[in-house]
Amino acid sequence: MTAVLDTPLPDHALRMPSRPNAWTILGTSVQSADTAAEALDMANMRGWNVRLLGDVNATCVDETGVTTLKMPDTRANVRTNPITGETEYLGKVGRKYNPVDIEEHEDVLDMIRRESDATFHRAGAYDNGRRFFISMTLPEVLRIGGFDQHQMHVTLFGSHDASSSNSFHIGPTRLDCGNMQRFIIKGAQHSYSIPHTASAQVKIAEVHKALATLFDWQDAFEREANRMLNTPVSLGQFETLVNTIWPVPTSPGKVQRTNFQNRMDTLRTLFEDADTQESIRGTGWAAWNAFGEYLDHYARAKTAATRAARSLSDKGDVTTRKTEAYTNLLALAA
């Protein structure tokens, strides 16, 4: 399932119609918005007044008493909570960090909407406002093999805690299972970053020029996915790849053995028996989607929101493992 469409396409019945994906879990529907400003208002993502406070002080309390240390190279980034009106801490940042309010991207978002005929999709802030996204749905539905449907998105991702630059990404969601197809394709740029520096406004203007480059990623994705779809993969090959992505510990303890077996059992079931792989079973494309489905919907996490945030992130284990699985399966299709 995907949150991109409220109803299936006319020729496509969703195989997992009740499954929420990362967009749904972390975001608010803004499909009725005509402008970026309207979309951000719907998600309570305007008027934060993100700003810097003075030097950050570090305080330590121990047996010797209270020690306060000034940190002259660090400042606090804060916002005004749009619901309560209270000032909230977002993170500590360096001297070169320049706060960029989300609405400063509205002109570019509106430009993308006009030039690509996209519609606003979902917008959300999470991790207490430290991270955010606003996604748009592109009108074209990509069909791998002529039938396996994917909805394309252009998404602005960002942070207010210096953990990442704000950036525009392109990527699809698979309709049958809600997999977030977020991985790195060699030689294809899938994102364009806007750093939190004094040059941020200049970078935002340059997004106009970068859009064509981002769409090259979509072309590469379609070519390579079709190669995987036409490549048979056996259960033995799939299990070997699982052991490559999650190496078997040399001397595993009882908990490690149990976790490893449970993960293998889930992945094997997704590859061999899941309804979501019915139309692509026994192929490299099914193998990839088994990995993606596991990481996006089954991998252990404290909360569904934690798992969703991992799936949306361009950094961390989820994207790393997805990219490794994708690269290995593509090698089989060479």
Side-chain angles (χ1 to χ4, degrees):
M1 186 201 105
T2 178
V4 174
L5 301 173
D6 291 332
T7 58
L9 296 176
D11 60 344
H12 190 91
L14 302 186
R15 300 181 193 276
M16 296 296 290
S18 62
R19 172 188 286 170
N21 61 19
W23 302 121
T24 306
I25 292 169
L26 295 176
T28 297
S29 176
V30 293
Q31 290 176 316
S32 62
D34 291 324
T35 66
E38 290 179 4
L40 293 175
D41 273 334
M42 290 177 184
N44 291 315
M45 291 167 60
R46 297 184 88 234
W48 288 16
N49 187 25
V50 178
R51 58 202 183 274
L52 297 174
L53 296 185
D55 295 341
V56 173
N57 295 330
T59 301
C60 175
V61 180
D62 56 23
E63 64 276 3
T64 64
V66 178
T67 302
T68 299
L69 178 67
K70 290 187 176 181
M71 302 171 65
D73 293 330
T74 304
R75 294 177 292 175
N77 204 31
V78 302
R79 71 161 182 170
T80 299
N81 185 296
I83 306 299
T84 66
E86 296 180 355
T87 299
E88 294 180 337
Y89 172 77
L90 295 171
K92 61 180 182 180
V93 297
R95 282 289 177 187
K96 294 183 179 181
Y97 185 93
N98 185 56
V100 179
D101 276 309
I102 304 171
E103 53 259 51
E104 291 186 39
H105 301 82
E106 288 174 0
D107 287 346
V108 174
L109 289 165
D110 287 333
M111 178 275 296
I112 293 173
R113 181 179 183 276
R114 289 192 306 271
E115 296 191 5
S116 66
D117 201 26
T119 56
F120 290 105
H121 168 220
R122 292 205 171 242
Y126 53 103
D127 194 14
N128 296 317
R130 292 178 177 87
R131 301 172 187 271
F132 65 87
F133 68 88
I134 176 169
S135 63
M136 290 179 284
T137 302
L138 296 173
E140 177 186 5
V141 175
L142 191 64
R143 291 172 170 85
I144 304 304
F147 61 88
D148 190 23
Q149 298 187 23
H150 291 68
Q151 190 73 64
M152 297 298 300
H153 313 284
V154 172
T155 306
L156 168 66
F157 290 101
S159 73
H160 290 301
D161 61 355
S163 61
S164 67
S165 297
N166 294 348
S167 56
F168 285 90
H169 290 240
I170 189 167
T173 301
R174 184 173 182 245
L175 294 185
D176 268 344
C177 55
N179 287 354
M180 307 292 293
Q181 307 283 27
R182 287 177 65 77
F183 45 82
I184 309 302
I185 294 179
K186 185 177 180 180
Q189 183 176 336
H190 75 294
S191 65
Y192 182 81
S193 296
I194 306 169
H196 289 279
T197 65
S199 63
Q201 288 303 315
V202 176
K203 292 288 185 179
I204 289 173
E206 292 175 358
V207 174
H208 291 72
K209 301 177 183 179
L211 283 177
T213 303
L214 295 185
F215 282 97
D216 289 342
W217 187 94
Q218 176 179 331
D219 295 336
F221 168 76
E222 184 175 9
R223 288 194 305 270
E224 296 181 356
N226 277 306
R227 284 171 54 192
M228 289 188 196
L229 182 63
N230 292 318
T231 301
V233 169
S234 68
L235 177 60
Q237 288 175 304
F238 178 74
E239 291 177 339
T240 297
L241 182 53
V242 173
N243 290 334
T244 300
I245 305 301
W246 288 279
V248 182
T250 304
S251 301
K254 182 178 179 180
V255 173
Q256 285 182 308
R257 287 196 302 270
T258 299
N259 290 342
F260 178 85
Q261 190 60 53
N262 289 343
R263 180 171 53 238
M264 178 64 84
D265 289 345
T266 301
L267 281 160
R268 186 186 296 117
T269 298
L270 289 171
F271 178 66
E272 283 197 301
D273 303 317
D275 290 343
T276 49
Q277 316 304 343
E278 180 180 342
S279 61
I280 58 175
R281 190 138 11 244
T283 68
W285 190 233
W288 151 249
N289 278 286
F291 279 100
E293 190 166 356
Y294 173 78
L295 289 165
D296 285 351
H297 304 288
Y298 291 92
R300 294 178 62 185
K302 290 182 178 179
T303 65
T306 299
R307 187 187 296 111
R310 291 191 319 219
S311 293
L312 287 181
S313 175
D314 222 22
K315 301 178 180 179
D317 285 346
V318 170
T319 298
T320 298
R321 294 186 196 280
K322 283 184 178 182
T323 300
E324 185 177 0
Y326 181 88
T327 301
N328 277 275
L329 287 164
L330 190 63
L332 294 177

